[in-house]
């Protein structure tokens, strides 16, 4: 027959429990009789309990290994993101054969003007010229990278922006690199086209990726108020220039009704067929008064 299962008596277990608690005879009857909380002594014993040898070292090593593994994963993700920015096939875009770097020394005031609010002016120059622009504020150097044409355009745009700080911009004959449209604006509409603090022109630049400013042509002097018109220089692609030009003419028409009709042929014939395909042009559609609101929308 099988022996009966072993069942230890309660007395040895009670003694073992007391020794494990660290106090002989715990809990003491006199402590319970005095109403002392036993749990407090238990928590105090746990705080004073010595840490097993090697446990703290293992915790530090485990935390180090976790941080190393997390750091490695983050590093791999960062390198992946930088590779994905190079191009769709994982390779950087091929640079043109005449790729180079030009450095332009500027003043402290010019640096603030080139940078613009939140760096928007510098980004706009780079976007319109398709060049890479870096401004080193400590050394006051404007570095321009790109093809010869891109660098020439970026330098021209930067000089125009800096010239606005001291007065009207002077546009020379050699300013046109196939990226310039000169638009005549009546004097009474100049303020309306510019907008408060130039906000209207800036919004058109943002919409059509252009660079625009009023200018003087070949050093023609005289104050603005002494002339019946101002010339607005619009720099950018052929499509961007036409969109910005029509947006300005729409504003001019509000102040000077019938002005567009007087220069319509000049506007439509400008830049005709000057794109890569040779088919560039502008078509017009005449609306009745009751159709105009539907065409414009809200």
């Amino acid at each position: 027959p099988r022996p009966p299962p072993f069942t230890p008596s309660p007395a040895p277990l009670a003694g073992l429990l007391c020794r494990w608690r660290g106090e002989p005879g715990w809990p003491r009857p006199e402590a319970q009789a005095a109403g002392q909380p036993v749990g407090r002594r238990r928590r105090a014993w746990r705080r004073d309990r010595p840490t097993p040898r090697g446990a703290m070292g293992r915790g530090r090593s485990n935390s180090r290994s976790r941080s190393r593994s997390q750091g490695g994963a983050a590093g791999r993700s960062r390198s992946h993101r930088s590779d994905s920015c190079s191009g769709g096939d994982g390779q950087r875009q091929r640079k043109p054969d005449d790729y180079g770097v030009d450095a332009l020394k500027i003043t402290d005031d010019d640096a603030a003007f080139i940078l613009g609010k939140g760096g928007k002016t510098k980004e706009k120059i780079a976007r319109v010229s398709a060049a890479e622009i870096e401004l080193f504020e400590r050394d006051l150097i404007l570095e321009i990278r790109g093809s010869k044409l891109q660098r020439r355009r970026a330098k021209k745009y930067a000089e125009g922006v800096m010239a606005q700080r001291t007065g009207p911009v002077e546009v020379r004959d050699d300013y046109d690199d196939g990226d310039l449209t000169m638009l005549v604006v009546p004097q009474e509409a100049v303020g309306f086209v510019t907008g408060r603090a130039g906000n209207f022109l800036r919004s058109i630049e943002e919409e059509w990726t252009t660079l625009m400013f009023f200018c003087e042509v070949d050093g023609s002097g005289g104050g603005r108020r002494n002339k019946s018109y101002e010339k607005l220089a619009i720099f950018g692609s052929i499509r961007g220039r036409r969109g910005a030009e029509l947006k300005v003419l729409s504003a001019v028409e509000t102040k000077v009704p019938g002005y567009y009709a007087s220069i319509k042929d000049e506007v439509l014939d400008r830049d005709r067929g000057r794109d890569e395909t040779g088919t560039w042009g502008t078509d017009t559609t005449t609306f009745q008064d009751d159709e105009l609101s539907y065409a414009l929308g809200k």
Side-chain angles (χ1 to χ4, degrees):
R2 291 184 178 181
F6 174 75
T7 54
S9 61
L13 286 178
L16 180 62
L17 180 62
C18 293
R19 286 194 297 272
W20 180 75
R21 294 299 184 186
E23 297 180 3
W26 184 91
R28 292 175 297 176
E30 58 271 17
Q32 291 181 345
Q36 297 179 0
V38 179
R40 185 178 301 173
R41 293 293 301 273
R42 181 181 178 182
R43 286 194 296 270
W45 174 83
R46 286 187 174 180
R47 284 197 300 268
D48 299 337
R49 183 180 179 183
T51 305
R53 182 178 299 177
M56 186 175 298
R58 287 195 301 270
R60 284 197 297 265
S61 62
N62 292 337
S63 63
R64 289 196 200 101
S65 61
R66 285 195 299 269
S67 62
R68 281 196 297 267
S69 62
Q70 293 173 358
R76 288 192 296 272
S77 63
R78 283 195 296 269
S79 63
H80 175 71
R81 286 196 298 268
S82 62
D83 292 340
S84 64
C85 295
S86 301
D89 54 354
Q91 297 180 357
R92 293 187 179 275
Q93 188 177 0
R94 181 180 178 85
K95 296 180 180 179
D97 296 335
D98 56 348
Y99 183 89
V101 180
D102 290 342
L104 184 64
K105 186 68 176 179
I106 59 178
T107 64
D108 193 16
D109 295 334
D110 289 337
F113 229 68
I114 286 289
L115 189 61
K117 186 177 181 180
K120 289 185 177 180
T121 303
K122 181 175 71 71
E123 294 176 0
K124 179 170 56 180
I125 295 174
R127 188 167 59 249
V128 177
S129 64
E132 303 172 12
I133 298 179
E134 187 69 27
L135 176 61
F136 299 95
E137 298 184 58
R138 179 175 297 180
D139 300 328
L140 296 178
I141 293 178
L142 186 67
E143 191 173 89
I144 305 172
R145 308 184 191 94
S147 65
K148 185 177 181 179
L149 181 59
Q150 291 171 348
R151 284 179 280 134
R152 173 182 168 85
R153 288 178 175 177
K155 184 178 180 181
K156 176 176 60 178
Y157 301 159
E159 290 175 348
V161 170
M162 290 186 293
Q164 287 181 294
R165 185 175 62 86
T166 57
V169 182
E170 181 181 351
V171 176
R172 301 186 300 269
D173 292 335
D174 58 348
Y175 256 48
D176 190 1
D177 295 315
D179 62 339
L180 173 62
T181 295
M182 297 295 296
L183 180 62
V184 177
V185 179
Q187 185 63 247
E188 55 266 34
V190 170
F192 188 73
V193 169
T194 304
R196 185 177 182 181
N199 289 334
F200 185 68
L201 281 183
R202 303 292 86 81
S203 65
I204 299 177
E205 290 177 338
E206 188 71 22
E207 179 181 359
W208 292 100
T209 315
T210 56
L211 190 68
M212 309 166 62
F213 40 75
F214 286 96
C215 61
E216 294 180 354
V217 181
D218 294 333
S220 57
R224 284 190 172 184
R225 298 302 178 185
N226 298 331
K227 295 184 293 186
S228 59
Y229 64 89
E230 290 289 336
K231 286 198 172 183
L232 179 65
I234 307 175
F235 294 95
S237 64
I238 185 171
R239 180 180 180 274
R241 298 198 313 270
R242 177 51 50 88
E245 180 183 18
L246 294 177
K247 196 75 176 280
V248 171
L249 287 174
S250 177
V252 172
E253 193 71 16
T254 304
K255 298 293 291 185
V256 186
Y259 179 74
Y260 174 73
S262 63
I263 62 171
K264 176 181 177 180
D265 295 337
E266 177 186 351
V267 172
L268 297 182
D269 292 338
R270 183 184 293 132
D271 296 331
R272 185 184 297 274
R274 292 185 60 182
D275 63 331
E276 296 178 355
T277 62
T279 60
W280 171 261
T282 303
D283 294 335
T284 61
T285 301
T286 303
F287 290 100
Q288 301 298 327
D289 292 340
D290 55 348
E291 298 174 338
L292 186 60
S293 59
Y294 289 97
L296 295 177
K298 288 186 178 181

